Amino acid sequence: MVTSTAPLTEQSGTFDLSDVSVTYGKETAIAGVNVHIPAQAVTALIGPSGCGKSTLLRCLNRMNDELGDVAVGGVVALDGVDIYGKAVDPVELRMRVGQVFQKPNPFPMSIYDNVAYGPRTQGIRSRRELDGIIEDSLKRAALWTEVKGLLKKHAFELSGGQQQRLCIARALATQPEVILMDEPASALDPISTQQIEDPIDELKSEVTGGIVTHNMQQAARISDQTAFMLRESMDRPAQLIEVGPTKEMFTNPSDARTEAYITGRFG
């Protein structure tokens, strides 16, 4: 891996993490994480609650920076550039590495203005251009047919599943190369969950995906690569135990702890 401290330029969506650690105050939450996250594929992070999955996900777009007394060690490289380098603008980074959270968090404005928010911050003002971006983003999030005649409707009037797909569309509107999702369907019913999973599966031909999930069936359905994390005791940091192709991980894991978690014997 060649790592640069220059600004982000090349775009493919490949991450390489080397000896990554995250410390909150005096407590080290995760340590020694080494993983390659390939472009145009979905990587699922699985493991028991409190094992550092969300913490690791937030490393990929520097959302941990917003939490206060947090230190990230090691190297997190996006397309060969260390995203914690001084030349990298976190705001620009988050345009390229979008995130969808566990609970839908649409902005308190119309459907149209939610999706237009990011492009407008990028300086796009043309109504025709914005209209095209809104339509394209909502189509990619599998929401267009349901809301195309209701774009002035307040986002809070949508159902929970629709709000989450709106958040996906909002993230896609800035043309990111990576989309991160932190348990995006955990609060949704099975039908809404499928409506979230379908666009994720389709989008991986265009963007890199990272998803935290407690749902083993979901990880098996939509991910290409799975990483299992575990914190074996509270006085030790969480670690990445095993990573590999999802089919292989779920049928023939190399670590007994991975097998025990996947088969429900702990966690």
Side-chain angles (χ1 to χ4, degrees):
M1 177 184 70
V2 177
T3 304
S4 168
T5 57
L8 292 168
T9 53
E10 297 297 326
Q11 297 191 20
S12 70
T14 298
F15 274 102
D16 286 285
L17 280 64
S18 302
D19 197 28
V20 170
S21 64
V22 179
T23 301
Y24 297 105
K26 296 181 179 180
E27 179 185 359
T28 300
I30 61 175
V33 173
N34 297 281
V35 64
H36 171 73
I37 299 175
Q40 284 75 58
V42 175
T43 296
L45 299 178
I46 64 171
S49 297
C51 70
K53 302 183 298 297
S54 295
T55 294
L56 182 61
L57 194 77
R58 290 194 299 267
C59 286
L60 304 181
N61 63 354
R62 294 183 53 171
M63 288 298 292
N64 286 319
D65 293 8
E66 307 301 316
L67 300 180
D69 189 12
V70 179
V72 177
V75 175
V76 180
L78 172 60
D79 300 331
V81 176
D82 182 0
I83 65 170
Y84 287 84
K86 292 182 179 179
V88 174
D89 180 355
V91 175
E92 177 191 347
L93 172 68
R94 291 170 196 151
M95 291 289 184
R96 293 178 58 178
V97 185
Q99 184 158 354
V100 177
F101 297 90
Q102 182 174 2
K103 294 182 179 180
N105 64 337
F107 298 147
M109 54 184 68
S110 71
I111 295 169
Y112 187 100
D113 288 337
N114 263 271
V115 185
Y117 185 87
R120 283 171 173 157
T121 64
Q122 293 175 319
I124 297 173
R125 293 289 181 267
S126 163
R127 181 70 184 214
R128 179 178 295 181
E129 188 173 359
L130 286 172
D131 287 349
I133 291 171
I134 273 69
E135 180 175 346
D136 178 66
S137 301
L138 289 168
K139 282 181 176 177
R140 293 166 76 198
L143 188 58
W144 175 251
T145 57
E146 297 169 44
V147 303
K148 60 183 178 181
L150 306 168
L151 297 180
K152 293 182 179 180
K153 186 175 183 177
H154 199 286
F156 291 171
E157 296 181 53
L158 298 175
S159 69
Q162 289 174 324
Q163 287 186 23
Q164 194 65 302
R165 280 181 285 152
L166 177 62
C167 293
I168 294 173
R170 187 179 67 198
L172 290 171
T174 60
Q175 298 298 314
E177 60 208 83
V178 183
I179 292 285
L180 307 177
M181 302 187 184
D182 193 349
E183 296 190 69
S186 64
L188 304 179
D189 60 77
I191 293 176
S192 296
T193 295
Q194 183 177 351
Q195 291 172 331
I196 294 293
E197 289 181 5
D198 287 346
I200 294 173
D201 190 51
E202 292 176 8
L203 285 168
K204 66 185 180 184
S205 63
E206 307 171 32
V207 298
T208 303
I211 184 169
V212 168
T213 181
H214 284 282
N215 186 323
M216 296 300 95
Q217 290 76 25
Q218 182 176 74
R221 283 193 299 266
I222 67 172
S223 71
D224 303 283
Q225 173 175 270
T226 296
F228 172 57
M229 298 188 69
L230 183 64
R231 186 170 192 169
E232 298 190 273
S233 65
M234 293 307 297
D235 59 349
R236 297 172 59 186
Q239 294 181 309
L240 179 61
I241 302 299
E242 182 176 356
V243 61
T246 295
K247 186 175 181 180
E248 182 178 321
M249 285 276 286
F250 278 81
T251 58
N252 188 32
S254 61
D255 193 290
R257 293 167 293 182
T258 308
E259 183 177 11
Y261 180 74
I262 288 173
T263 56
R265 294 203 296 273
F266 79 87

